[in-house]
Amino acid sequence: MSIEVRDVSYVYEEGSPHSKAALDHVSLTIEKGEFIGIIGHTGSGKSTLIQHLNGLLKPSHGEILYDDVNILEHKENLRQLRQKVGLVFQYPEHQLFEMTIWKDVAFGPTNMRLPQDEINRRVENALSMVGISSDFYQKSPFELSGGQKRRVAIAGVLAMEPDYLILDEPTAGLDPMGRDAILGKVMELHRELGMTVVLVSHSMEDVARYVNRIIVMDEGTVKFDGEPRAVFSHRDELEAMGLGVPQVTKLGSLLQNRGFRMEDTVLTVDQM
Ligand code: ADP
């Protein structure tokens, strides 16, 4: 299973005096089971790219293939495909609106007209995946802290049981504890359930700590795409793009957290 972005360009307001090229001939493939970080400074095209992955935006040029089939011609319609490619927008908690946490998470599965016991199973499962216990089910989402609200919003997407989970800046605006809690949960979804995750971030440190592959966006193009240590070896170029590479001292422990051996770590530091 895969999503392939093939030679995709995208222009906002094409043909108008305000037209803006946001993606410029981007090609990449996301295989099932990967944990990918997409990084780049503001305006580099990250959000535009991920909105193509589930058909929310249609390429001005090129195509998006889901399991080798152009998503615009996929046998399942775009609505069904959007359930398989779950997109968590920035500040997703702004979209919470139901009276209770349970109802909010049930919103998507209810719209899918699933049987009630399947809805219940999905809601409970999704909330447990993000670490929200049953004591909270009947509470208002507005009683929660910022980090907890965000976890409920993420559960709303997980309840659709997507094959791919794409998160746009999931830690934006959270304090360090909230940030670690969210990233830790996302890591668990990947490690323990094998979920394919695409994490958009402007923090190289967050990305370095968790992902297996980093895609660096710059001015609508893919500048680098590879394993973290291969990407970090381009330190000067990354710094010129305004992307801080984790400090050498921290990098060793970050890589070790992710299962690298000390020899690999030393090698990486030497390469930098
Ligand atoms: P990022 O997510 O990396 O911050 P975006 O994909 O949001 O980047 O933006 C890429 C470029 O497209 C930027 O120059 C941005 O100003 C422009 N852009 C984004 N959204 C719109 C929009 N709705 N209308 C016009 N231009 C847009």
Side-chain angles (χ1 to χ4, degrees):
M1 274 183 117
S2 64
I3 304 177
E4 184 184 347
V5 177
R6 189 181 284 175
D7 199 22
V8 165
S9 297
Y10 186 77
V11 182
Y12 284 100
E13 299 184 53
E14 198 165 13
S16 92
H18 308 290
S19 79
K20 170 76 204 168
L23 292 178
D24 182 13
H25 297 284
V26 169
S27 293
L28 53 95
T29 302
I30 298 167
E31 302 285 353
K32 191 117 204 294
E34 285 194 287
F35 191 170
I36 299 178
I38 300 184
I39 189 151
H41 57 73
T42 305
S44 57
K46 305 181 297 296
S47 296
T48 306
L49 172 62
I50 58 169
Q51 288 180 71
H52 279 80
L53 301 178
N54 72 352
L56 272 180
L57 291 177
K58 296 182 181 57
S60 310
H61 173 274
E63 52 192 14
I64 308 290
L65 306 162
Y66 184 94
D67 289 344
D68 303 319
V69 181
N70 186 327
I71 60 171
L72 301 178
E73 292 155 18
H74 209 270
K75 64 179 185 326
E76 292 170 287
N77 63 34
L78 268 180
R79 203 168 137 249
Q80 285 169 307
L81 206 62
R82 275 182 201 143
Q83 291 160 9
K84 294 193 164 178
V85 186
L87 189 54
V88 179
F89 287 99
Q90 282 182 41
Y91 297 96
E93 62 274 22
H94 293 169
Q95 284 159 33
L96 298 173
F97 67 98
E98 294 280 4
M99 296 289 283
T100 68
I101 288 168
W102 197 94
K103 276 193 183 162
D104 231 306
V105 177
F107 181 77
T110 305
N111 270 354
M112 287 164 78
R113 296 178 204 288
L114 297 169
Q116 190 60 47
D117 50 354
E118 174 64 8
I119 295 174
N120 296 350
R121 185 193 66 76
R122 286 183 175 217
V123 172
E124 283 162 28
N125 200 25
L127 281 166
S128 118
M129 283 189 207
V130 297
I132 302 279
S133 72
S134 56
D135 311 343
F136 286 89
Y137 288 179
Q138 298 310 318
K139 287 199 183 321
S140 159
F142 304 102
E143 289 176 43
L144 302 177
S145 73
Q148 286 172 325
K149 273 190 208 155
R150 193 161 300 176
R151 284 199 256 162
V152 170
I154 294 172
V157 173
L158 291 173
M160 309 298 278
E161 302 202 335
D163 293 327
Y164 296 82
L165 179 65
I166 302 170
L167 303 128
D168 195 354
E169 299 275 6
T171 61
L174 296 183
D175 60 24
M177 255 175 66
R179 192 182 68 192
D180 289 350
I182 293 267
L183 291 177
K185 282 291 164 202
V186 170
M187 183 73 199
E188 265 174 48
L189 292 173
H190 169 70
R191 263 209 195 139
E192 284 161 30
L193 304 177
M195 190 169 278
T196 313
V197 179
V198 178
L199 178 72
V200 174
S201 175
H202 63 266
S203 161
M204 195 59 109
E205 209 163 293
D206 282 356
V207 163
R209 198 188 299 263
Y210 297 101
V211 306
N212 309 121
R213 172 178 163 200
I214 296 178
I215 294 170
V216 180
M217 298 288 301
D218 183 40
E219 295 188 3
T221 65
V222 173
K223 187 86 178 173
F224 302 114
D225 179 354
E227 286 183 11
R229 52 188 196 140
V231 170
F232 292 150
S233 67
H234 300 282
R235 183 170 57 171
D236 291 346
E237 278 158 288
L238 291 171
E239 276 176 1
M241 288 162 56
L243 295 173
V245 172
Q247 291 166 6
V248 173
T249 45
K250 279 193 191 158
L251 184 61
S253 62
L254 289 179
L255 293 175
Q256 271 184 303
N257 282 347
R258 297 181 50 255
F260 280 85
R261 289 165 301 143
M262 198 55 191
E263 302 89 275
D264 293 333
T265 312
V266 172
L267 186 65
T268 308
V269 174
D270 284 349
Q271 282 170 343
M272 291 176 65

